[in-house]
Amino acid sequence: MPSLLVPFKQLKPGFDHFYRGFVQRCGSHCAEVKRRRTSKSNKGADCGRPLDGIRVLDLTRVLAGPFASMLLGDLGAEVIKVEKPGSGDDTRAWGPPFMGTESVYFLSVNRNKKSIAVDMKHPDGARVLRELAAVSDVLVENFLPGKLSEFGLGPEQLRAENPELIYCSITGYGQNGPSSSRPGYDSILSAESGMMHITGPEGGEPVRPGVAMTDLATGLYAHGSIMAALLQKQRSGVGAHIDCNLLSSQVSCLSHIAANFLNSGKEGKRWGTAHESIVPYQGFKTSDGHIVVAVGNDTQFVQVCEVLGLPALAEDPKYKTNKLRVQNRSQLLPLLSLRLAEESTCDWLRRFEGSGVPVGPINNLQQVFSDAQVKHNGLLQHIEHPTSGALCVPGPAVRFSSFLPLDPAPPPLIGQHTVSVLTGSLNYSEQEVTSLMQSGAVAQYPDI
């Protein structure tokens, strides 16, 4: 993938013109954002976003960290994403598919962020990051424990300069312990945490979940922990060092499966779409697809039998209670499966309508994003990207009554905001910025 950064020697002759034009464009953008907010607040719903005024220095790459910082950006935080000059976040190269030179993977989890290209191995680059940490509320990173301390960017070092800093470390295994020096990857931790052991068809091989759920769960834990730390800092005036890791996040999400083992010694197993403790509670084939039937109580089972036209099953002593249905699942499920396979998914959905029984189709992605409720919930977010053009990504999952979301800022180009962050957040002069660019400590995308 070609580099998006132009060497400084190609920029130097026109730097003054570039810089002035850049500032003018930033001013126009800020005016437009202010106009939109004023326009929407006049409707009486916008009280400002919860994290307006919060600055997040984001040193993460790939998924868990970028997902967490994107959620903070959705809530109004200024997220400054630090990237390696030239290549940037690893996921910029994770494709196909690409839109222009950007991978869709990267575009999916990096909206509402600024990007600065900084070489933290360069002494001046590390100094820039220390100065940004001193004026930030939150720092999020996902390096191996101790790695950032080599550059003077460790939690003790930065919090000594800024005691209010909330420093969130995302790792594979934690800040210390026998595995802490190992790198963390979703697929590996999904396996080691037991998640893969309980995922897959009954009697079949272990299966990796269709998306990186261990990374995403860790990102959600990090997001929630940062929000809690911000609240604590408001009361105490003191920040925190948050240890968030993939192993702990996924093991904690084993929920009742883990509790079953810890309290009764019952080993987890793969059940496909079925539930080990509730019957029927799984997916069934229909004549043209699949449907999930989730019976939560005995009354609902009677309703299922009525809809299916199998009233004798509801009267059978072997199936009167859920406990009995679990014990006799091998006899009951084939009978239900045979009947459900006789008609289409749409026909069954229509028959179950109003019955009180939870049912739903197993949708492919085309069906998901054609769904009226998905559209109503604002889960299709359209963004205009400066080089990739129009793109659509899954929107935020949560809505607030206190504010209306602004149009999202597109995922940034590598180093797109280096100059504006240095001059705006750190009050660097043009001469200082020029010197940093000449030294290779920082880089700027040439055309915004």
Side-chain angles (χ1 to χ4, degrees):
M1 185 169 121
S3 171
L4 293 177
L5 293 163
V6 173
F8 177 79
K9 63 184 179 180
Q10 297 179 26
L11 289 176
K12 186 177 178 181
F15 181 80
D16 182 66
H17 173 74
F18 158 73
Y19 174 73
R20 294 180 190 280
F22 175 83
V23 172
Q24 184 178 14
R25 285 189 292 272
C26 283
S28 299
H29 174 72
C30 290
E32 174 62 14
V33 169
K34 183 177 181 181
R35 182 194 66 76
R36 289 176 183 170
R37 178 169 294 167
T38 301
S39 173
K40 292 188 176 184
S41 64
N42 287 339
K43 296 178 182 179
D46 195 344
C47 300
R49 296 176 295 177
L51 297 185
D52 279 341
I54 298 296
R55 178 177 291 147
V56 178
L57 188 60
D58 181 9
L59 276 67
T60 66
R61 303 90 70 209
V62 187
L63 183 55
F67 184 59
S69 61
M70 182 180 70
L71 297 177
L72 298 173
D74 288 343
L75 295 176
E78 177 194 14
V79 180
I80 300 174
K81 181 178 180 68
V82 179
E83 300 193 71
K84 181 180 179 181
S87 57
D89 189 315
D90 293 346
T91 61
R92 288 186 184 270
W94 286 13
F98 290 95
M99 293 186 68
T101 56
E102 301 288 352
S103 77
V104 174
Y105 194 117
F106 174 84
L107 295 173
S108 71
V109 289
N110 283 287
R111 63 174 176 259
N112 290 324
K113 300 179 186 180
K114 301 175 181 178
S115 172
I116 62 171
V118 181
D119 181 0
M120 68 175 62
K121 294 181 180 180
H122 192 293
D124 287 336
R127 173 178 57 82
V128 166
L129 296 182
R130 286 194 294 271
E131 292 180 7
L132 282 172
V135 295
S136 295
D137 301 283
V138 178
L139 184 147
V140 193
E141 58 90 8
N142 62 348
F143 288 79
L144 285 174
K147 184 64 177 178
L148 289 180
S149 297
E150 298 175 10
F151 310 115
L153 300 170
E156 297 84 4
Q157 295 157 318
L158 295 184
R159 294 189 63 236
E161 296 296 321
N162 180 5
E164 295 187 9
L165 181 67
I166 295 165
Y167 192 112
C168 180
S169 296
I170 299 175
T171 59
Y173 300 88
Q175 289 298 297
N176 44 58
S179 297
S180 60
S181 62
R182 295 173 58 193
Y185 293 90
D186 173 271
S187 59
I188 304 302
L189 271 302
S190 180
E192 291 185 348
S193 68
M195 179 67 166
M196 280 193 194
H197 177 72
I198 59 173
T199 303
E202 185 176 3
E205 294 297 313
V207 171
R208 175 183 176 273
V211 293
M213 286 308 304
T214 302
D215 268 345
L216 294 171
T218 305
L220 287 169
Y221 266 114
H223 162 254
S225 299
I226 290 168
M227 297 293 281
L230 285 168
L231 182 61
Q232 183 183 54
K233 185 181 79 167
Q234 187 179 42
R235 294 198 301 261
S236 68
V238 179
H241 182 203
I242 299 171
D243 174 4
C244 191
N245 64 83
L246 275 68
L247 178 66
S248 297
S249 296
Q250 187 57 75
V251 170
S252 72
C253 286
L254 294 178
S255 185
H256 68 282
I257 301 298
N260 287 347
F261 170 75
L262 293 172
N263 293 283
S264 68
K266 184 177 183 180
E267 180 60 76
K269 59 171 285 187
R270 292 178 288 283
W271 286 98
T273 64
H275 195 294
E276 66 173 333
S277 303
I278 313 172
V279 174
Y281 199 102
Q282 65 182 73
F284 294 91
K285 285 186 178 181
T286 63
S287 63
D288 64 350
H290 294 83
I291 189 172
V292 172
V293 179
V295 172
N297 56 56
D298 297 334
T299 300
Q300 289 179 350
F301 178 69
V302 173
Q303 289 297 111
V304 167
C305 295
E306 182 177 326
V307 172
L308 297 184
L310 301 173
L313 291 181
E315 298 301 322
D316 193 316
K318 297 193 299 292
Y319 311 132
K320 278 287 188 178
T321 67
N322 179 69
K323 182 179 179 180
L324 291 168
R325 291 192 295 275
V326 170
Q327 292 172 355
N328 296 292
R329 70 166 71 224
S330 61
Q331 301 169 53
L332 173 61
L333 293 176
L335 300 175
L336 301 179
S337 298
L338 189 64
R339 176 68 182 105
L340 285 161
E342 293 176 354
E343 300 186 37
S344 71
T345 300
C346 285
D347 286 339
W348 285 123
L349 292 174
R350 186 169 54 251
R351 286 173 177 266
F352 275 105
E353 185 71 29
S355 68
V357 178
V359 297
I362 297 181
N363 286 332
N364 60 30
L365 294 187
Q366 180 180 2
Q367 292 166 326
V368 169
F369 290 106
S370 299
D371 184 84
Q373 190 64 47
V374 169
K375 293 178 179 178
H376 175 81
N377 287 359
L379 292 173
L380 283 77
Q381 189 165 67
H382 299 276
I383 303 175
E384 191 66 32
H385 190 272
T387 62
S388 300
L391 65 107
C392 185
V393 295
V398 178
R399 292 291 183 269
F400 286 71
S401 64
S402 56
F403 75 98
L404 296 172
L406 297 174
D407 294 337
L413 305 169
I414 300 174
Q416 179 177 342
H417 305 93
T418 302
V419 172
S420 65
V421 169
L422 294 179
T423 57
S425 301
L426 296 180
N427 297 316
Y428 278 18
S429 68
E430 181 178 335
Q431 183 178 3
E432 289 175 305
V433 174
T434 300
S435 177
L436 285 169
M437 293 181 72
Q438 285 178 319
S439 72
V442 304
Q444 166 72 40
Y445 189 86
D447 187 15
I448 308 304

